[in-house]
Amino acid sequence: MHLGDVANRGNLKDIRSFTKWLKTQQRKQQYYVDVVIIEGNHDRNIRHPHLMDLRYEYQQADDDDDHRRVHFLQHQAVDVVKNRLRLYGASWNSCQRNQFSLEDDILPKVPDGRVDILLTHVRPGVKSSRTSDVCLLFQLTRQLKVPCHVFGHTHRERGVSVGRNTVSINCATSAATGLPVVVDFCPKLRRVTMAHCPLEERCFFYR
C-alpha cells in the first residue's frame, strides 16, 4: 500500500519514475501480488491540474489488463487476497475538506459496511475549521469498526496507536530509517496481528 505523496509538489516525473519501478517489481513477482495506492496533497499540480491523470499513470504499471494488480483508489473499495481482504481508499479532496460520510461515500460502494483496512492520507483526530473539534474521519472509523486504519502525511508522527476497535498506523516515510511499515493482518479474525513500524530517533510517537 502507498498512502500518497509519490510526487514532490505535483512533479509528473516522480509519478512516472514510481510506476516504472513498480513495473520492474511486478515482473520479478517477488514483492507483491496487489498494489493499492491513494493520492496525497503533493500528487497534484495546483496550477495545471489537467496535466496529471493519476489513474492513467498508475495503470501503466500493470502488465496484465485482464487482472489488475495496481489499484488506484479515490473513494473506492477493492477486494484483494482472493477476495478475503477489503481495502477502502479515500480521496485527497475528502481528506483536505474533512468530508467523510458513511451514507454518501462508503455504503453505496460497500453495501455490507465491511472495511478491513481504511486508507487515508491524513490521520484521524485532527481539528477542522469546518467541524469545530469534531473529526468526521475519527467518527467514521468508529461507525464502521474498522480493524485497521493506515495513513501518512505527518512524517514526524510515525507510529502505532491501539484503540478499542481500531489499530491506527501512521506509515509516513521516515528519512532517517528509510524502512517501510509492515503490517500483518488476519482476514479470518479481521484484526492486525503484527505491526512493524521503525521509528527515527526524534519521532513524535503517534498516539
Side-chain angles (χ1 to χ4, degrees), residues 19-59:
T19 55
K20 184 178 179 180
W21 176 81
L22 277 181
K23 201 163 189 173
T24 61
Q25 304 309 305
Q26 182 173 259
R27 288 171 179 171
K28 292 178 182 179
Q29 294 185 347
Q30 294 177 349
Y31 300 105
Y32 64 82
V33 176
D34 289 279
V35 173
V36 179
I37 308 170
I38 62 172
E39 60 186 329
N41 53 305
H42 288 288
D43 297 326
R44 55 180 184 158
N45 189 317
I46 297 176
R47 294 183 178 180
H48 307 287
H50 64 282
L51 295 180
M52 294 184 67
D53 184 343
L54 293 177
R55 190 171 303 280
Y56 170 80
E57 296 297 337
Y58 291 135
Q59 283 177 351

Side-chain angles (χ1 to χ4, degrees), residues 1 158 160 169 171 179-185 192 194-198:
M1 297 178 290
R158 196 184 214 211
V160 181
I169 308 172
C171 306
L179 298 173
V181 174
V182 179
V183 180
D184 286 349
F185 187 93
V192 174
M194 188 277 291
H196 179 66
C197 185

Side-chain angles (χ1 to χ4, degrees), residues 10-166:
N11 191 330
L12 185 58
K13 290 182 180 180
D14 294 339
I15 300 291
R16 290 179 174 172
S17 174
F18 178 68
T19 55
K20 184 178 179 180
W21 176 81
L22 277 181
K23 201 163 189 173
T24 61
Q25 304 309 305
Q26 182 173 259
R27 288 171 179 171
K28 292 178 182 179
Q29 294 185 347
Q30 294 177 349
Y31 300 105
Y32 64 82
V33 176
D34 289 279
V35 173
V36 179
I37 308 170
I38 62 172
E39 60 186 329
N41 53 305
H42 288 288
D43 297 326
R44 55 180 184 158
N45 189 317
I46 297 176
R47 294 183 178 180
H48 307 287
H50 64 282
L51 295 180
M52 294 184 67
D53 184 343
L54 293 177
R55 190 171 303 280
Y56 170 80
E57 296 297 337
Y58 291 135
Q59 283 177 351
Q60 308 313 304
D62 261 319
D63 282 332
D64 188 353
D65 291 334
D66 295 326
H67 178 68
R68 288 287 178 193
R69 288 187 174 184
V70 180
H71 311 278
F72 175 60
L73 304 182
Q74 290 179 304
H75 266 316
Q76 293 168 295
V78 62
D79 292 330
V80 297
V81 194
K82 297 181 179 179
N83 296 326
R84 293 187 299 161
L85 184 65
R86 179 172 295 162
L87 284 66
Y88 187 94
S91 69
W92 166 247
N93 284 338
S94 294
C95 293
Q96 184 182 35
R97 298 170 184 171
N98 191 26
Q99 292 179 334
F100 300 95
S101 169
L102 181 63
E103 290 76 15
D104 296 336
D105 298 324
I106 310 291
L107 292 181
K109 294 151 189 171
V110 187
D112 61 2
R114 181 178 69 85
V115 174
D116 297 314
I117 302 179
L118 175 66
L119 291 72
T120 65
H121 188 59
V122 297
R123 67 180 179 89
V126 179
K127 291 186 178 181
S128 168
S129 58
R130 289 187 63 256
T131 57
S132 184
D133 59 347
V134 177
C135 179
L136 298 181
L137 178 55
F138 179 73
Q139 290 183 351
L140 183 64
T141 59
R142 295 186 66 177
Q143 285 179 299
L144 287 173
K145 295 183 179 179
V146 177
C148 182
H149 177 205
V150 293
F151 49 93
H153 191 57
T154 311
H155 296 267
R156 296 297 298 276
E157 293 185 359
R158 196 184 214 211
V160 181
S161 176
V162 181
R164 179 178 299 177
N165 297 308
T166 304

